Amino acid sequence: MFVTKDRKLSTGSLIILIASTLLGVGILTGPRSITAAVDGFGGWIAVLLTGLLFILIAYAAAYLINMFPGENIILFGPAIVTKPINNTICFLYLLYFIISTALYSRNVADVMKLYVLDTTPTTVIIGSFLLVSTYTAVQGINVLIRLNMLLFPIIFGMLGIILVLNAGGEFNFTEARPFFVGDFLTYLNGMKSSLDIFIGIGIIYFLSVFLRTPEKTGYALSTGIIIVTLINMIIIVISLGVFNFASVQNIVYPTVELAKDIQLPGAFLERTESLFMTIWVLAIFNVVSVTQYTVSLGISQLFNRKRKLWVVWPLPIYFLIALAPRNIDEFFYWRSILSYVGFSFLLAIPLVYILIAKIRKVA
Amino acid sequence: MRACLYKTGIPCLIAVLLLSGCWDLQEIEERGLVIGLALDLTDEEVDPENMETYEEWKKKGEPDRVRLTGQVAVPTQQGGNGQSETESQPYFNMSTVSHSVFDALRLFSTRSSRTFTLDHIKLVAVSDNIAASDHFNEGLLDFFLRDHQMRRRMLFFVTEGEASQLLELEGQFNEIPAMKIEAVSENYSRSNRIPHPFAIGTLSDEIAKETSFIIRKIKVTKDKDIKVAGALLFDGKFSKLAGELGEQETIAYNLIVGEHQNGIITAPDKQGHIAAFEIFSADSKIKPTIKRDNISFDIHISATGHLGETQYPGGNPLTSKYIKEVEEVMKKEIETEVNKVTEKLQKEFKLDPFNLLDEIRVKNYKMYEKVRRNWDQGEKIFSDVPIRFHIDTKIERIGISGKPEQKEG
């Protein structure tokens, strides 16, 4: 059985890990999909509400994790819902992680090909990206945390620069208003589209073995979620003001266009989007390597195999899934389906497990 | 030794193989930097070989084709280090005809040794007959908004007549025409007779939003120079050319929407002498009033500036009384101009380029949802909305001549 003695994830590093895992995901398409979902304004409220919802979920997950400090779902699950059921759930959840990770790498390839690497084949971009992230994931949790802490300020800073320069430049306050519009139904619609920003926090069910201070998990998760919520809210409002409510819905990657729009006097900084793309790839790289690691950890625990090898073996699966969507429309369809699947896991696991644990008086 | 070779040498070789190749490599000398594009409708034949496809297109009811003229900067010749014997232009133009803009652009490659890069396009111009045709709305501009190399900041112009003339200017300084136009259009802060620069990104925003908008008008004069003045009015619903505003009307428009930067307003004073008021800073505040179903607007315009010229015979009575008088005259002048253009837009064109609808949206979203489809389209609520102007003018300086009335001491 898999047991770890050293608990390496401190509260601070968990915050960074969660924030940088969530940051890269919805950032490019969020303004478009969420604005389209709420049909204009109030997208930021939808994101805020989703953030609050996920803070609740995070606390539920933390409660479950706290019942069994130092273990993760694969270790404490069998005590609650018998081993076969638990292993099936975990396996399906890991499968979900594999598919979503593969789609992130596809996203990288699509965006890079569109904006920067015009003639490089998609397969090469996906392949090299996955090779690098696999290399990192093999190294283990310590390296991942180190890397996340290293890259997070860069990603955060770049986003900050883009937002500040846009807010000071093209941003038109009238276009961004009114702020409070819409009823609960429209917000609900917007929340559906903003789910995929946050569903990455599911990794905590597996990574909880490493927590140094399990009692602070809820706090750490919600801090990470708050950071990401704020950034996404600001991006939505700024892209509304720079474009307008109708135009944002027509731009596939509004955030990249925000980066492209920056022009400092004297042509001092041109082609900012290549800089932005590079840094965004770093953000997705964080996401992909962390989830790859989580998958390998889960598989090694489930089947009692060597973890390092199981980072590498699923590589062809990632690669093939990444190439599966025929076009960008299909890709977005897959992503939206996956966001519901991920959300169901995220919501169901703490509810069901805590309930059954209470009834059966485990722990 | 051998182990060392295996451990470092082989990975190095692999790295060399992997890292050296770059799919997207392009030498700068082989690039052609496209800096301006002009789009015209044309009936020219494509190519004799392509005649069949043209006939097929004609059968589909698609007889019009586009002519794309591109201006390409030549980087190596621009530096001009001692190569004085080749006094050639730092740019060349090429023009192709096709059904789609993208295809026309790619046809450039069939006529030049260079690979064309679109990253540095400064301006896109279309002829007024494209702007007035349905093609404008149907998406002749789609390519400029879809291609990833295009920047949203490229300036967009609608020219009177052929757009390609714009790239064939002969300026005073042997400038590249596209660069020159960009520089001229930056002068808008010195003249109130042209609207603010209009980028292609703004165009896509306006088309998406279905609001009416205004684009500056650009004209190529007979001696192959340009004049930028006045504005073209576009219908929001169909996003096509609906009319134009004269220079005076553009001044008024600029004042109303608060885009007025710097400019001169000339009017006779009470004795009939010409006075010129230079506006340094103008500001406008649009306040919608919504009572039940009645919408009205109060627009407060404040203009501050200095008295630049008074053609007053025999000395300048620049007293504070006279300054007040001129302020009053200028206020009247602005008021009439502003009312005139509003009247014209409300009654004649029935289009709202002021984006007053935005103000309603900010103030009362429910009302906005009610009127948005019938604002300057459909029932045209806009044309009957009362718009009141409140104008405030202030002359802060009078220049260096003239004697103030108040005796010192």
Side-chain angles (χ1 to χ4, degrees):
Chain A
M1 191 49 90
F2 180 91
V3 182
T4 173
K5 283 284 177 283
D6 51 340
R7 299 189 180 166
K8 298 137 180 166
L9 257 171
S10 69
T11 314
S13 47
L14 182 60
I15 295 176
I16 301 283
L17 187 73
I18 288 298
S20 57
T21 315
L22 303 187
L23 196 57
V25 179
I27 217 130
L28 285 202
T29 52
R32 173 178 54 78
S33 58
I34 296 168
T35 307
V38 299
D39 194 23
F41 303 88
W44 67 276
I45 298 181
V47 174
L48 183 65
L49 291 176
T50 322
L52 292 176
L53 176 70
F54 272 84
I55 289 176
L56 289 181
I57 294 174
Y59 271 100
Y63 184 83
L64 179 66
I65 287 159
N66 273 338
M67 289 165 77
F68 311 91
E71 294 183 18
N72 70 3
I73 185 164
I74 296 170
L75 293 179
F76 65 63
I80 304 171
V81 286
T82 67
K83 199 165 180 185
I85 296 180
N86 184 60
N87 282 7
T88 318
I89 293 175
C90 290
F91 184 71
L92 289 177
Y93 204 9
L94 291 174
L95 205 62
Y96 153 78
F97 275 129
I98 289 179
I99 299 175
S100 71
T101 310
L103 289 188
Y104 292 144
S105 57
R106 169 59 180 268
N107 199 3
V108 167
D110 275 347
V111 177
M112 288 303 272
K113 199 169 162 60
L114 179 61
Y115 282 103
V116 195
L117 304 173
D118 209 9
T119 46
T120 311
T122 317
T123 45
V124 172
I125 305 178
I126 296 178
S128 48
F129 181 78
L130 279 174
L131 280 178
V132 178
S133 68
T134 308
Y135 174 68
T136 321
V138 168
Q139 308 298 315
I141 190 78
N142 278 329
V143 171
L144 285 175
I145 294 166
R146 228 41 78 63
L147 209 58
N148 269 293
M149 287 182 132
L150 186 74
L151 297 182
F152 183 71
I154 303 175
I155 300 161
F156 193 75
M158 182 64 195
L159 274 175
I161 290 171
I162 285 170
L163 293 180
V164 165
L165 286 181
N166 267 293
E170 293 277 287
F171 183 68
N172 182 345
F173 195 56
T174 318
E175 294 291 359
R177 285 192 297 168
F179 291 126
F180 301 95
V181 153
D183 45 25
F184 189 68
L185 269 181
T186 47
Y187 292 150
L188 210 62
N189 222 348
M191 284 169 76
K192 273 198 272 176
S193 319
S194 36
L195 287 181
D196 72 335
I197 300 173
F198 298 103
I199 40 175
I201 63 167
I203 52 169
I204 194 65
Y205 295 128
F206 295 92
L207 295 185
S208 58
V209 259
F210 300 115
L211 291 174
R212 194 180 288 161
T213 48
E215 63 279 1
K216 282 190 179 167
T217 315
Y219 160 77
L221 288 179
S222 51
T223 313
I225 292 171
I226 288 169
I227 296 172
V228 174
T229 311
L230 286 178
I231 293 174
N232 274 289
M233 277 161 57
I234 296 171
I235 289 182
I236 287 175
V237 171
I238 292 212
S239 43
L240 267 184
V242 171
F243 313 113
N244 63 40
F245 69 92
S247 182
V248 173
Q249 301 177 27
N250 283 342
I251 301 173
V252 182
Y253 302 111
T255 316
V256 185
E257 293 299 320
L258 282 185
K260 250 168 104 175
D261 244 19
I262 295 174
Q263 196 175 33
L264 293 181
F268 167 62
L269 201 65
E270 269 194 344
R271 294 206 55 144
T272 25
E273 86 271 18
S274 11
L275 193 61
F276 174 74
M277 298 310 310
T278 318
I279 282 160
W280 175 74
V281 169
L282 291 182
I284 289 287
F285 166 73
N286 271 344
V287 183
V288 170
S289 52
V290 169
T291 17
Q292 270 186 309
Y293 174 78
T294 312
V295 169
S296 69
L297 181 74
I299 291 176
S300 72
Q301 280 181 279
L302 278 180
F303 303 108
N304 228 342
R305 290 289 187 279
K306 214 166 170 239
R307 189 193 66 75
K308 285 192 179 178
L309 283 178
W310 281 90
V311 186
V312 184
W313 294 144
L315 209 54
I317 304 176
Y318 287 116
F319 190 69
L320 289 178
I321 296 173
L323 289 173
R326 291 158 60 90
N327 53 34
I328 191 157
D329 197 48
E330 222 172 271
F331 167 77
F332 283 130
Y333 176 70
W334 283 41
R335 272 270 292 268
S336 70
I337 299 278
L338 270 188
S339 77
Y340 296 132
V341 175
F343 183 65
S344 328
F345 274 116
L346 204 54
L347 193 65
I349 288 176
L351 289 183
V352 174
Y353 276 58
I354 291 172
L355 201 70
I356 296 176
K358 287 283 166 197
I359 293 169
R360 295 180 60 183
K361 298 207 171 58
V362 198
Chain B
M1 188 60 203
R2 179 151 294 194
C4 180
L5 191 73
Y6 283 136
K7 267 187 180 167
T8 58
I10 292 172
C12 275
L13 273 179
I14 295 172
V16 163
L17 279 178
L18 284 177
L19 296 175
S20 60
C22 177
W23 266 280
D24 296 273
L25 176 77
Q26 256 181 9
E27 297 297 340
I28 184 86
E29 292 85 10
E30 288 162 16
R31 282 188 177 211
L33 303 180
V34 181
I35 48 173
L37 288 176
L39 194 63
D40 289 302
L41 285 181
T42 172
D43 289 324
E44 287 172 32
E45 304 305 336
V46 192
D47 266 344
E49 302 99 290
N50 282 1
M51 277 297 282
E52 269 174 49
T53 49
Y54 173 52
E55 291 303 321
E56 281 165 21
W57 273 75
K58 232 177 178 175
K59 272 179 213 149
K60 285 182 205 159
E62 200 60 56
D64 288 314
R65 286 156 306 145
V66 291
R67 193 178 73 226
L68 187 74
T69 309
Q71 186 147 75
V72 184
V74 186
T76 43
Q77 286 176 351
Q78 242 185 327
N81 43 347
Q83 295 173 314
S84 54
E85 75 274 11
T86 51
E87 260 300 301
S88 61
Q89 280 180 318
Y91 67 92
F92 62 91
N93 284 354
M94 51 185 5
S95 170
T96 50
V97 175
S98 178
H99 296 297
S100 73
V101 183
F102 196 21
D103 186 37
L105 191 69
R106 279 295 162 83
L107 286 178
F108 284 2
S109 309
T110 61
R111 311 202 177 173
S112 171
S113 60
R114 294 188 180 253
T115 318
F116 294 99
T117 320
L118 309 178
D119 285 319
H120 299 272
I121 294 180
K122 302 288 181 204
L123 71 98
V124 171
V126 302
S127 64
D128 52 0
N129 61 0
I130 288 186
S133 73
D134 292 335
H135 293 274
F136 193 65
N137 189 28
E138 278 171 11
L140 268 183
L141 295 175
D142 181 74
F143 171 70
F144 299 104
L145 303 170
R146 187 178 298 281
D147 195 83
H148 67 280
Q149 288 189 334
M150 300 284 179
R151 327 226 121 221
R152 289 171 50 87
R153 279 186 182 261
M154 297 181 304
L155 292 172
F156 179 74
F157 291 101
V158 174
T159 56
E160 218 176 58
E162 296 272 288
S164 56
Q165 306 170 56
L166 207 56
L167 299 176
E168 288 155 11
L169 301 177
E170 286 166 9
Q172 300 115 311
F173 305 115
N174 193 23
E175 297 156 304
I176 302 178
M179 298 291 201
K180 180 183 176 176
I181 294 161
E182 195 198 14
V184 171
S185 74
E186 267 165 20
N187 278 350
Y188 86 105
S189 58
R190 305 284 299 161
S191 168
N192 53 2
R193 287 162 191 251
I194 40 179
H196 54 92
F198 197 86
I200 201 142
T202 324
L203 178 74
S204 78
D205 292 348
E206 301 280 4
I207 290 178
K209 213 169 129 196
E210 294 190 5
T211 48
S212 304
F213 55 95
I214 269 191
I215 297 183
R216 48 175 56 177
K217 187 174 147 191
I218 192 161
K219 208 161 103 182
V220 179
T221 53
K222 268 183 196 149
D223 51 346
K224 293 209 164 183
D225 217 334
I226 52 161
K227 182 182 177 182
V228 188
L232 298 168
L233 178 65
F234 280 76
D235 187 322
K237 174 125 190 257
F238 307 104
S239 48
K240 68 189 214 183
L241 190 62
E244 59 181 82
L245 296 183
E247 297 184 16
Q248 291 301 320
E249 288 163 337
T250 310
I251 298 178
Y253 166 81
N254 277 339
L255 279 167
I256 294 171
V257 294
E259 298 277 1
H260 195 289
Q261 296 237 341
N262 192 324
I264 291 150
I265 288 181
T266 313
D269 67 7
K270 277 179 185 153
Q271 289 81 41
H273 309 303
I274 294 292
F277 171 45
E278 181 184 7
I279 299 177
F280 274 155
S281 67
D283 196 16
S284 89
K285 282 196 181 67
I286 303 177
K287 284 200 182 114
T289 318
I290 300 164
K291 276 180 193 151
R292 287 205 193 124
D293 276 355
N294 294 320
I295 304 169
S296 65
F297 290 93
D298 288 278
I299 301 181
H300 298 263
I301 299 171
S302 62
T304 313
H306 89 200
L307 194 56
E309 185 180 350
T310 48
Q311 298 177 0
Y312 201 95
N316 290 324
L318 284 175
T319 61
S320 57
K321 184 169 153 250
Y322 182 72
I323 290 171
K324 274 243 168 59
E325 194 186 304
V326 176
E327 278 180 358
E328 202 58 36
V329 166
M330 291 304 165
K331 185 180 153 179
K332 281 268 151 55
E333 172 72 18
I334 292 174
E335 212 162 357
T336 36
E337 285 296 328
V338 157
N339 277 314
K340 220 160 77 189
V341 71
T342 312
E343 169 93 14
K344 190 173 176 185
L345 287 167
Q346 278 189 313
K347 302 297 178 207
E348 192 187 326
F349 295 124
K350 303 188 176 176
L351 292 174
D352 168 28
F354 306 131
N355 287 343
L356 295 178
L357 195 56
D358 281 351
E359 305 294 331
I360 300 178
R361 190 189 70 221
V362 172
K363 175 117 181 178
N364 187 337
Y365 196 77
K366 281 217 174 78
M367 187 51 132
Y368 166 73
E369 297 220 298
K370 220 159 97 186
V371 297
R372 66 185 287 194
R373 293 278 158 226
N374 289 317
W375 186 246
D376 57 1
Q377 18 181 305
E379 287 171 29
K380 307 227 177 244
I381 299 172
F382 167 71
S383 45
D384 296 319
V385 165
I387 301 173
R388 292 176 291 272
F389 289 100
H390 309 273
I391 289 139
D392 184 33
T393 51
K394 192 172 157 202
I395 293 174
E396 275 184 341
R397 275 175 288 277
I398 55 167
I400 54 170
S401 69
K403 43 176 187 266
E405 193 183 30
Q406 279 85 8
K407 294 230 162 49
E408 284 158 50

